[in-house]
């Protein structure tokens, strides 16, 4: 077993840490004839499955009123990068209940509180610095 794990370890990709419920943009390489381009698939991560080389994640988005899901292997050479747009806070490991929702309701996942608090703290610190500069300018 250690030999298999060693070989798999060499092939593992370093990936962006994301969780189920996060809104992500997946940049994939697509071959069209002899050309290669990057295509972006943006949506909500509704599931993660597997481990090691066999690890996958499922991204769901609404396209022209129709739900589209796509399963990506994390360690695929076709995936260029994964960007986390927004961190979501969920209490399930699989968000298959989003399949039954319609319209904007299907896209809604509550934003993670920690991220929200950090944004508010950063904004209040910026306001404080601005107020200090204005007070110093008046003096």
């Amino acid at each position: 077993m250690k030999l298999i794990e060693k070989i798999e370890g060499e092939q593992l990709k370093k990936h962006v840490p994301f969780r189920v419920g996060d809104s992500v943009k997946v940049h994939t390489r697509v071959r069209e004839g002899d050309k290669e381009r990057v295509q972006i698939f943006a949506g909500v991560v509704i599931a993660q499955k597997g481990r090691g080389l066999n690890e996958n994640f499922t991204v769901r988005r609404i396209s022209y009123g129709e739900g589209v899901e796509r399963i990506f292997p994390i360690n695929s050479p076709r995936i260029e990068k994964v960007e986390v747009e927004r961190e979501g806070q969920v209490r399930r490991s699989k968000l298959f209940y989003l399949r039954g929702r319609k319209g904007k309701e299907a896209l809604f996942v509550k934003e993670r509180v920690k991220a929200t608090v950090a944004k508010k703290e950063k904004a209040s610190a910026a306001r404080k610095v601005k107020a200090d500069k204005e007070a110093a300018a008046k003096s």
Side-chain angles (χ1 to χ4, degrees), residues 10-62:
E10 294 169 0
Q11 296 177 5
L12 288 175
K13 262 171 68 174
K14 197 81 170 160
H15 65 276
V16 177
F18 57 88
R19 297 180 181 169
V20 172
D22 291 354
S23 294
V24 295
K25 281 186 180 177
V26 183
H27 297 254
T28 54
R29 285 194 213 105
V30 178
R31 286 190 60 105
E32 292 175 342
D34 57 341
K35 293 181 187 173
E36 193 170 282
R37 65 182 181 88
V38 175
Q39 188 174 31
I40 299 172
F41 190 89
V44 178
V45 178
I46 63 166
Q48 280 186 307
K49 186 176 181 182
R51 69 181 186 89
L53 273 180
N54 302 321
E55 193 171 352
N56 300 318
F57 64 101
T58 305
V59 179
R60 179 179 174 84
R61 76 171 181 196
I62 306 298

Side-chain angles (χ1 to χ4, degrees), residues 43-103:
V44 178
V45 178
I46 63 166
Q48 280 186 307
K49 186 176 181 182
R51 69 181 186 89
L53 273 180
N54 302 321
E55 193 171 352
N56 300 318
F57 64 101
T58 305
V59 179
R60 179 179 174 84
R61 76 171 181 196
I62 306 298
S63 180
Y64 299 104
E66 196 71 33
V68 179
E69 289 183 10
R70 194 160 168 199
I71 300 170
F72 297 98
I74 285 182
N75 297 298
S76 171
R78 291 266 175 232
I79 295 180
E80 199 167 277
K81 65 179 177 178
V82 178
E83 284 180 49
V84 177
E85 287 184 305
R86 191 175 141 226
E87 295 180 338
Q89 180 180 359
V90 293
R91 299 177 72 174
R92 303 278 177 275
S93 63
K94 305 280 192 273
L95 304 182
F96 296 138
Y97 64 86
L98 292 178
R99 291 174 177 167
R101 294 185 175 184
K102 304 281 186 243

